[in-house]
Amino acid sequence: MFEFIRDHQLNIMLALCAVCLAMAGFLVVTKYLSAKRKWILIFMELLATLLLSFDRAAYLYKDVNTDTAYVMVRVSNLMVFFLTSAIVFGFNLYLTDLLLNEGGLKEAPARLKVVNILAFIGMGLAVISHFTGLYYYFDENNVYHRGPGFLICYIVPILGPVIQYTVIHKYRKSFSKLIYISLVLYLAVPIAMGIIQIFTYGISIVNMAMVLVSISLYVFTYLDINAEAVKSHRSEIVKLEEERTSARMLFDETVKTFVNAMEKKDIYSQGHSLRVAQTAWDIAKEAGLDETGCVEAYYSAMLHNIGMLTIPDTIVMKPGRLNAEEAAIMKNRTVVGSEILTNIEGFPNLAKNVRYSDENFDGTGYPEGLAGDAIPEASRIIAVADNYDRWRNGRRGHAALPPPVIREELLKASGSRFDPRFTVAMIHLMDKEAQGKTGEAPVLEGELVCGKYRETISAGIPLIPQITEINFSAEEQGENAAPSIIIFDAYDARVHDNLNSIKEYKYEEYAEAWFDGHFISTNARNIKASTAVSERLAKGKYKITAGRFEDHLLIKMTSEGKIACFIVALPDNSKSAYIGITGENCHIKGLTAVRLNAEIKSIKKIVKKINYIDRIESDLPNIQIDHTRNKSTVGTLIEEELFMEFHSMSLPSSNLVWHCPYIVLFYSEDGKVGGKGYKEYALVKLCGEVSGEEEHAENHLSMQRNDSFAGWEEWKANNREGIECSVSISKKGNKIVLSSETLGIEINNETIISDKDTTCYAAITGDMVAITDIRIR
């Protein structure tokens, strides 16, 4: 390497000089440094340029016997030794400026003052040496030789930087990381090169190193400026975000206070706007909107009913239906609301979003009958969120609906009242919530005060194959005092006696039973009871163990010295069953229900299982699906084209639109749903829904209702009577297209598999449906 430098050092010196001059030129026009520091850096760059220029001249004119060479060799060597100490002085000025500004010192440290003195001594010795030959001398051939005091010339270039480093180290926390690195490099590199220079003759590695670190000083200074600019920018962004957050919080609190005050006059409206706002945010996020879209939907939803301020209380509080004039006034609330919000500059779309929040996706809404994408996005979200909250929490004259009914209402209104995109998002949110509650133990009251019979009834305790143990104590408080149970089914796991709630919650009561073995059968297919002497429980203590196997329940009710055993046959295997604890003239305490680590494997049948698949079989065995996807056909490998035809009949107890056949696209090692290595690509319901595991595939569903669609109630009725279904599936590479038309519902779903292995099977499953006469071609 040294040979290379020796051979090319004149060119290297010239290039470094040019770079230094360029740096000095850039510094002249820079605006991001203080004037003093800028001129100090220019001074240092010029010193480095002069040092290397004179050093280069010394090499150019050595061994040349001319008058010009005689003068240039001597002047150049004088300036080289002089400028070496001058550079130490220049760096001292730079370091002092840093400490007085970034370091916050009032005056320069004493050690830097010592360095200044040393630098001037060094410059003075360079001049003296020129006339005395202390550092160097020239022979009669004008050839340079080291003098007897040559090593003295290294005292200032080495001792000065060492002292400067002690100062840098002491005040290192005053410098940024980049500046600290540049200072250390500026000192360490020339010292290291100086040591090497002692043993290397004929090359000026020290001077070239000093020029290089001078250049690096410029580079690191600009990097530091850039870092500070980025830091300042980030700080400004954070400050702006904090100000925006603060303003939004103030706006949020103001709006919430305003909305709460507005809703005070109607108990049915209290909390409605805040709930709708949160639901709108959740829908927007689920549908993939960015934060700006979510925020806009949130505040638009919170203020969607602001026009109610102008509606007379007589209309707001009126029981029953509104007349035509009152209905027109109520409909106009969105227009009035938009006028109230017109001048809010921070959210310019609020007024528009509120104005069109009662529009329907198919153009049948108001005030202007807009349709599709002509309705603002936030307005379409509000339509879903507003109706969802009214269904879930009820409103004046309308009781709350159970989640399955709400889900069905959403599905029915998709594409007509609601944008399908946001309807699907809401349904997904409901499904996630329901899935999160699956397997949760029921929340029991713990204590029941029962006066008249069935006056107070606990929440329903679900009966499943896993055995449930129920314990409580009961104090008698009058004649005929006795606890009892009600066996029933309902969407909300509650006993209902109101005709409207019985209809909405699909309440069905199977039987009532007492601890003495007495029972009343309401809608069970059959009940058998037996009693026996049991282990003695303390007086007033009661225990129930219960479970189910298929369509039969086994319930054992133990009291003081007696056990009553009931076998209950449900209407069919698709029914759910709950136990509600109640009684007459008794105070029930300490009510608990726990699931034991045991399952009922079988129950003696008291009636035959109802079979809905006793029909012709074709290519695949018939299947009866009593609960959501509890059975499936074996998978059929999809190669290029696959056609599936079958007869479908929803079970008599089915009552929701998705109680119909499903097609599942999947992969497993054995070609069975749920088999080893199972991956589900798509679950397509013939009512027009699709889901799938997003990490393995993406699905794009198109669902339309053609002219033959007679409405959802007709759809359900026809499914219960029985229909013929046809599904076509085509596969090309990783793309699978499924098409079907059922009772006017046209489905076209595109599944794109993201896995490398695109092997895919198709199987038939469903919910509360019997599938027969399955033909595959």
Side-chain angles (χ1 to χ4, degrees), residues 300-311:
S300 298
M302 192 180 294
L303 292 165
H304 78 285
N305 256 351
I306 200 70
M308 292 291 289
L309 283 170
T310 64
I311 306 297

Side-chain angles (χ1 to χ4, degrees), residues 189-210:
V189 173
I191 290 175
M193 294 301 103
I195 295 170
I196 296 173
Q197 181 78 72
I198 295 173
F199 306 100
T200 307
Y201 190 76
I203 56 175
S204 294
I205 55 175
V206 173
N207 293 338
M208 285 189 284
M210 293 185 76

Side-chain angles (χ1 to χ4, degrees), residues 139-315:
D139 60 19
E140 62 278 7
N141 295 319
N142 204 30
V143 177
Y144 170 92
H145 296 279
R146 291 179 176 178
F150 176 76
L151 293 180
I152 298 173
C153 73
Y154 284 101
I155 293 176
V156 172
I158 293 177
L159 182 59
V162 170
I163 296 172
Q164 288 168 333
Y165 177 74
T166 63
V167 175
I168 292 169
H169 183 73
K170 180 178 179 180
Y171 296 102
R172 62 189 180 278
K173 293 183 179 180
S174 301
F175 311 119
S176 69
K177 184 178 180 180
L178 289 170
I179 293 298
Y180 179 76
I181 292 172
S182 70
L183 296 176
V184 172
L185 286 175
Y186 195 91
L187 298 177
V189 173
I191 290 175
M193 294 301 103
I195 295 170
I196 296 173
Q197 181 78 72
I198 295 173
F199 306 100
T200 307
Y201 190 76
I203 56 175
S204 294
I205 55 175
V206 173
N207 293 338
M208 285 189 284
M210 293 185 76
V211 172
L212 282 171
V213 293
S214 295
I215 294 170
S216 74
L217 201 65
Y218 168 85
V219 173
F220 276 97
T221 298
Y222 262 84
L223 289 175
D224 184 64
I225 291 171
N226 184 63
E228 284 298 318
V230 171
K231 183 178 178 182
S232 298
H233 178 69
R234 287 176 179 169
S235 177
E236 190 67 27
I237 292 295
V238 169
K239 186 177 179 180
L240 288 172
E241 284 293 329
E242 289 175 350
E243 290 176 354
R244 188 171 72 170
T245 301
S246 178
R248 184 178 295 172
M249 288 177 63
L250 179 61
F251 179 76
D252 186 74
E253 291 171 0
T254 303
V255 169
K256 284 180 179 177
T257 302
F258 188 61
V259 167
N260 287 336
M262 177 189 71
E263 293 180 344
K264 284 289 184 184
K265 64 180 182 180
D266 182 12
I267 190 172
Y268 290 96
S269 295
Q270 290 178 15
H272 169 71
S273 295
L274 295 180
R275 293 192 302 269
V276 173
Q278 185 58 56
T279 303
W281 176 285
D282 294 340
I283 292 172
K285 187 175 181 181
E286 180 71 20
L289 272 66
D290 59 16
E291 185 179 0
T292 300
C294 292
V295 169
E296 182 175 322
Y298 177 82
Y299 285 113
S300 298
M302 192 180 294
L303 292 165
H304 78 285
N305 256 351
I306 200 70
M308 292 291 289
L309 283 170
T310 64
I311 306 297
D313 290 352
T314 54
I315 295 178

Side-chain angles (χ1 to χ4, degrees), residues 116-153:
N116 281 337
I117 295 171
L118 286 174
F120 282 109
I121 291 174
M123 287 183 278
L125 286 174
V127 175
I128 292 171
S129 174
H130 180 70
F131 297 102
T132 63
L134 180 64
Y135 292 167
Y136 57 89
Y137 65 91
F138 298 93
D139 60 19
E140 62 278 7
N141 295 319
N142 204 30
V143 177
Y144 170 92
H145 296 279
R146 291 179 176 178
F150 176 76
L151 293 180
I152 298 173
C153 73

Side-chain angles (χ1 to χ4, degrees), residues 681-694:
Y681 301 132
L683 178 70
V684 182
K685 303 178 183 180
L686 297 193
C687 62
E689 291 186 78
V690 68
S691 61
E693 297 173 359
E694 294 180 0

Side-chain angles (χ1 to χ4, degrees), residues 505-756:
Y505 288 88
K506 300 296 185 287
Y507 177 74
E508 185 173 1
E509 190 168 305
Y510 304 131
E512 301 161 273
W514 285 260
F515 283 84
D516 62 0
H518 176 63
F519 69 88
I520 298 174
S521 177
T522 310
N523 199 37
R525 279 206 291 154
N526 195 7
I527 298 179
K528 284 194 175 181
S530 61
T531 59
V533 176
S534 72
E535 77 274 12
R536 187 173 181 82
L537 287 180
K539 185 176 180 180
K541 298 291 185 181
Y542 298 87
K543 180 173 76 173
I544 301 170
T545 56
R548 87 179 273 173
F549 180 76
E550 295 182 346
D551 58 352
H552 279 55
L553 308 178
L554 178 61
I555 303 171
K556 295 179 179 181
M557 302 172 64
T558 306
S559 59
E560 183 183 3
K562 191 173 187 177
I563 181 170
C565 182
F566 300 92
I567 297 176
V568 182
L570 300 176
D572 62 49
N573 194 32
S574 67
K575 296 291 187 180
S576 297
Y578 299 86
I579 285 179
I581 308 298
T582 186
E584 181 178 7
N585 295 328
C586 61
H587 185 181
I588 295 173
K589 297 180 180 179
L591 177 59
T592 62
V594 295
R595 287 180 181 157
L596 305 181
N597 190 24
E599 286 191 6
I600 293 180
K601 301 296 184 181
S602 66
I603 298 175
K604 183 180 179 180
K605 298 287 185 179
I606 57 175
V607 294
K608 289 184 178 180
K609 182 180 178 180
I610 297 178
N611 188 334
Y612 295 104
I613 56 173
D614 188 15
R615 290 171 50 91
I616 186 172
E617 283 192 351
S618 295
D619 297 327
L620 295 177
N622 299 339
I623 56 171
Q624 181 172 316
I625 307 161
D626 295 312
H627 304 286
T628 305
R629 299 184 63 182
N630 73 312
K631 287 188 178 179
S632 304
T633 65
V634 296
T636 301
L637 181 65
I638 305 171
E639 294 179 314
E640 292 183 358
E641 298 284 342
L642 177 66
F643 296 92
M644 310 177 82
E645 297 173 329
F646 51 90
H647 183 271
S648 165
M649 184 186 76
S650 296
L651 303 186
S653 55
S654 65
N655 47 56
L656 297 167
V657 297
W658 58 84
H659 289 162
C660 66
Y662 305 166
I663 306 298
V664 57
L665 305 180
F666 70 97
Y667 168 80
S668 68
E669 293 180 14
D670 59 1
K672 295 180 180 179
V673 174
K676 186 177 180 181
Y678 184 74
K679 292 182 286 188
E680 188 163 297
Y681 301 132
L683 178 70
V684 182
K685 303 178 183 180
L686 297 193
C687 62
E689 291 186 78
V690 68
S691 61
E693 297 173 359
E694 294 180 0
E695 64 268 32
H696 298 303
E698 60 180 79
N699 288 281
H700 305 281
L701 175 70
S702 171
M703 188 273 276
Q704 293 183 339
R705 301 166 194 161
N706 62 30
D707 293 339
S708 64
F709 180 70
W712 286 110
E713 293 306 314
E714 191 72 17
W715 156 276
K716 291 191 287 186
N718 287 335
N719 269 281
R720 281 192 292 268
E721 290 177 7
I723 58 173
E724 292 296 324
C725 299
S726 175
V727 177
S728 67
I729 304 172
S730 63
K731 181 175 183 290
K732 186 175 182 180
N734 68 334
K735 180 180 175 182
I736 301 172
V737 177
L738 182 150
S739 301
S740 175
E741 181 186 348
T742 307
L743 299 174
I745 299 294
E746 295 180 2
I747 294 173
N748 187 278
N749 185 69
E750 182 181 277
T751 301
I752 300 175
I753 300 174
S754 55
D755 295 339
K756 290 183 179 178

